[in-house]
Amino acid sequence: MPGFVNVSPADLLAVAPELILCGVATLLILLDAFARGLRPTFPAITLGGLAVALYAESVASGSFFSAAMETSNLTRFIDLLAIAGVAFAVLWGSALLERDGRNQGEFYALLLWSAAGLMLMVKGSDLLVIFIGLELMSFALYILAAWYRDIPQAVEAGMKYFLVGALASTFLLFGVATIYGRTGTTNLTKIIGLATAPELAFDPMLKVGILAVVAALAFKIALVPFHSWAPDVYQGMTSPAVAFLSTAPKAGAVVVLVRFLHAFYPLGLSAPWRPLLSILAVLSILFGNVVALSQRDIKRMLAYSGIAQMGYVAIGLAVFNDDAFQGVLVFLAGYLVTNAAAFLSLAVLSRGEREPHPLADLAGIGRRQPVAAGILSLAMLSLAGVPPTVGFIGKFFIFRAAVEARMIPLALIGVLGSVVSVGYYLRVVYTLFMKEPIRADAQPPEDVMSGAAYVLSAIGMLVLGLFPGWLIELTRSAASSLPLGLPR
């Protein structure tokens, strides 16, 4: 491929954020090896690298590396989510990791490498580039899942995530190979409309290839029945890492799935893909919410909640039009802030990352730590979709798009799932403030970075819910600039 032999300055500028993140990650590894006394500065170095990478996002939209990569307002939006996800993990997680003696440079480096892979995956307009980005993102997350390697649950989480991730990669490679065999290309731009051409419209092997790629991305999103890894990984993984895993990578996989499906069906989805996505949405919403009701470990509860939340996203994927896609982007942005705040405030309120996180341990803590408990309560309300939080805005956009597309039963199931979810979300709030405390051990002091995270998460959940105009305009611009274009 000549684009990878003759790399132009414009090509390098297109991947400047990824190069910066990888460079800072390598620097952190070297500093941890040769200057361990600088470990307290690693969070600041990481945040500085994120800021520089965000500044480097000013590159113009276009096609690069011989059309293997594309940049647009949409890729910049997902890059923003990836950078925000890492920033939340660092701001809130640095004190938690230091409390447990796990604040090594490798942790921050792995977060940066994972974010770089996510950003590369979303920019890829070639299936092979998407695969490379997906693997870079995933390998870092496999290691982070077992970060507390002296804890059996963490080792189990890392092993299970690795095995399921390897299976998903197998599906993806099989799908890419099959698609290449039937179309002669892996470039999404060249694939546009090929699936509806007379010679391929009823090709069963092409449909098998498409299904394999959809299944692989559904693994990453944790839709039912591809969800089995989520509860154990969420429970065993350290909270700062799972706060990132549960948000930005899912957003990237959703956008890749939209671009992939549109490449084959530019005029909109039809059978069997729309019914299939509808079924995945219904199963995820009902299964996730019902099982979450019975959970007594709050991290497992949030895992099943995440399955249900991605079910709402799948409603937007099944609708598959401009309004639905914008609603999905609004939902994903709100979900990132909300779910990150939930996991990280929970970590602050818990006994430590080495201990389980039973809901009963939160009894009465709201009286002793009102700030952290208030952020966790606000996150629960936002996840439930209670106005005026940003969680309500995202669900409203998706359900409205489903109604306008005359997919009213799907919207009603989404509303029903939201009503069911109120039961377990409000149970957390009740436990925090209404029950008598059952433990009196001291909690770690909250530092400046944690305070900044509190402010940012409150702004994200509440202010964006009350004044969503900026977010709506940002997502509208991102949705309309999708390189392959959604049908209008």
Side-chain angles (χ1 to χ4, degrees), residues 285-308:
I285 292 170
L286 296 181
F287 177 83
N289 282 317
V290 171
V291 177
L293 283 170
S294 63
Q295 300 303 308
R296 293 297 177 263
D297 183 283
I298 191 168
K299 290 183 80 171
R300 290 186 73 88
M301 185 203 81
L302 287 173
Y304 286 106
S305 160
I307 294 169

Side-chain angles (χ1 to χ4, degrees), residues 34-274:
F34 300 107
R36 293 192 176 184
L38 295 178
R39 277 185 177 176
T41 67
F42 287 174
I45 294 173
T46 304
L47 293 173
L50 293 173
V52 175
L54 184 61
Y55 178 78
E57 281 293 334
S58 58
V59 63
S61 301
S63 178
F64 304 94
F65 292 102
S66 295
M69 295 181 61
E70 294 184 8
T71 60
S72 67
N73 286 339
L74 176 61
T75 63
R76 284 188 281 273
F77 177 79
I78 299 300
D79 287 357
L80 176 62
L81 294 188
I83 291 172
V86 176
F88 271 115
V90 172
L91 284 171
W92 228 321
S94 58
L96 304 175
L97 294 169
E98 187 174 358
R99 174 179 67 180
D100 293 338
R102 290 288 187 178
N103 59 330
Q104 294 98 326
E106 290 93 334
F107 181 86
Y108 303 103
L110 289 168
L111 277 177
L112 292 176
W113 277 324
S114 182
L118 165 61
M119 294 158 69
L120 179 65
M121 175 181 73
V122 174
K123 289 179 180 176
S125 55
D126 190 287
L127 291 173
L128 295 178
V129 175
I130 291 173
F131 175 76
I132 293 171
L134 181 68
E135 291 306 296
L136 175 59
M137 176 188 76
S138 298
F139 274 118
L141 292 174
Y142 298 152
I143 301 172
L144 287 173
W147 187 246
Y148 284 73
R149 57 185 178 274
D150 54 333
I151 302 176
Q153 291 85 350
V155 176
E156 179 186 356
M159 182 60 68
K160 190 166 189 176
Y161 191 32
F162 170 73
L163 292 175
V164 174
L167 178 62
S169 297
T170 302
F171 273 89
L172 182 60
L173 281 178
F174 172 77
V176 171
T178 304
I179 290 168
Y180 179 77
R182 307 310 295 170
T183 65
T185 182
T186 57
N187 191 285
L188 293 179
T189 305
K190 296 178 181 178
I191 287 173
I192 291 181
L194 286 181
T196 56
E199 62 273 16
L200 292 175
F202 301 101
D203 189 325
M205 285 305 299
L206 180 60
K207 285 184 168 55
V208 168
I210 296 173
L211 180 62
V213 175
V214 171
L217 294 173
F219 270 110
K220 297 300 179 182
I221 302 171
L223 291 172
V224 173
F226 309 103
H227 67 283
S228 61
W229 59 272
D232 291 332
V233 172
Y234 280 41
Q235 185 177 24
M237 198 173 190
T238 180
S239 295
V242 79
F244 175 77
L245 163 71
S246 63
T247 53
K250 291 184 178 181
V254 168
V255 170
V256 170
L257 180 56
V258 171
R259 297 184 62 199
F260 174 77
L261 289 174
H262 179 266
F264 286 95
Y265 303 99
L267 300 180
L269 294 182
S270 58
W273 308 113
R274 175 169 284 184

Side-chain angles (χ1 to χ4, degrees), residues 282 285-286 289-290 312 315 395 399 409-423:
V282 171
I285 292 170
L286 296 181
N289 282 317
V290 171
Y312 304 131
I315 292 178
K395 288 183 179 179
F399 296 160
L410 207 54
L412 291 176
I413 291 174
V415 173
L416 173 63
S418 297
V419 172
V420 172
S421 71
V422 172

Side-chain angles (χ1 to χ4, degrees), residues 315-327:
I315 292 178
L317 297 180
V319 175
F320 209 79
N321 61 25
D322 285 342
D323 292 337
F325 187 49
Q326 183 188 355

